[in-house]
Amino acid sequence: MWDVELYVVRGHSMTPTFSEGDRLLVSPVKGRSFSFARGDVVVVRDGSDGDRRNLKRLIGFPREEIRLSEGVLLLNDLPLAEDYLGGLPAVIGLDDHTWNLENEEFFLLGDNRAHSTDSRQLGPSRLDDIVGTVLFRFWPLHRLRLVSAPAYRSHPTTKVVGLRSEG
């Protein structure tokens, strides 16, 4: 009836948003169509192990520039305010790095930036590596909630809808 998959959170890369043992309902990306909003939490295939899945937040879309500069996360030259980090730093360290995303590339980050292996180390993720979008946390019951993309003060809510390319 519903097209969802169940996932259990393992690890701490999405703390404080998700904790070890949280149970999630995920809407799989099936076929060729997709729809993502900036800030969606997605399940992505691990680049080194195709069977392993990781939970990350979608920060950058195709053809955007992501820059880490002096401890600030910049999206198209504007700082990205990330209230969901719960006071954790958006960037660890003062190194400068820039990524110019190509077609079908997305920049994904864990909310716990000090303990997350993500696009900062692995580079952008391809559209085909995104397995699904997190819809709902159903366990533990005291943390039950719908999961939706946040509103960013510095950037309008952006939604990308499209079709996967052939081949």
Side-chain angles (χ1 to χ4, degrees), residues 12-18 38-41 55-60 66-68 71-75 79-93 99 107-121 150 152:
H12 302 282
S13 74
M14 286 299 290
T15 302
T17 307
F18 297 101
R38 186 179 321 284
D40 275 347
V41 178
L55 196 61
K56 302 296 174 194
R57 188 172 301 274
L58 198 156
I59 298 295
I66 306 295
R67 190 161 45 108
L68 304 178
V72 177
L73 175 62
L74 301 163
L75 174 60
L80 186 65
E82 299 178 281
D83 297 336
Y84 45 81
L85 295 180
L88 295 172
V91 177
I92 306 300
W99 295 265
F107 200 80
L108 306 176
L109 294 175
D111 288 356
N112 186 355
R113 306 286 158 80
H115 299 283
S116 177
T117 301
D118 48 40
S119 290
R120 294 169 299 164
Q121 297 85 15
Y152 292 102

Side-chain angles (χ1 to χ4, degrees), residues 3-4 20 40 44 59 73 84 90 95 159:
D3 192 16
V4 295
E20 177 99 18
D40 275 347
V44 63
I59 298 295
L73 175 62
Y84 45 81
D95 293 342
K159 191 162 195 138

Side-chain angles (χ1 to χ4, degrees), residues 16-71:
T17 307
F18 297 101
S19 299
E20 177 99 18
D22 284 359
R23 271 42 171 201
L24 310 174
L25 293 179
V26 174
S27 174
V29 176
K30 298 238 181 185
R32 293 180 358 106
S33 65
F34 64 93
S35 174
F36 302 118
R38 186 179 321 284
D40 275 347
V41 178
V42 297
V43 175
V44 63
R45 284 184 192 87
D46 185 306
S48 63
D49 178 358
D51 291 333
R52 183 182 164 131
R53 306 289 189 256
N54 294 315
L55 196 61
K56 302 296 174 194
R57 188 172 301 274
L58 198 156
I59 298 295
F61 287 129
R63 297 174 300 284
E64 291 186 327
E65 180 186 85
I66 306 295
R67 190 161 45 108
L68 304 178
S69 179
E70 298 180 10

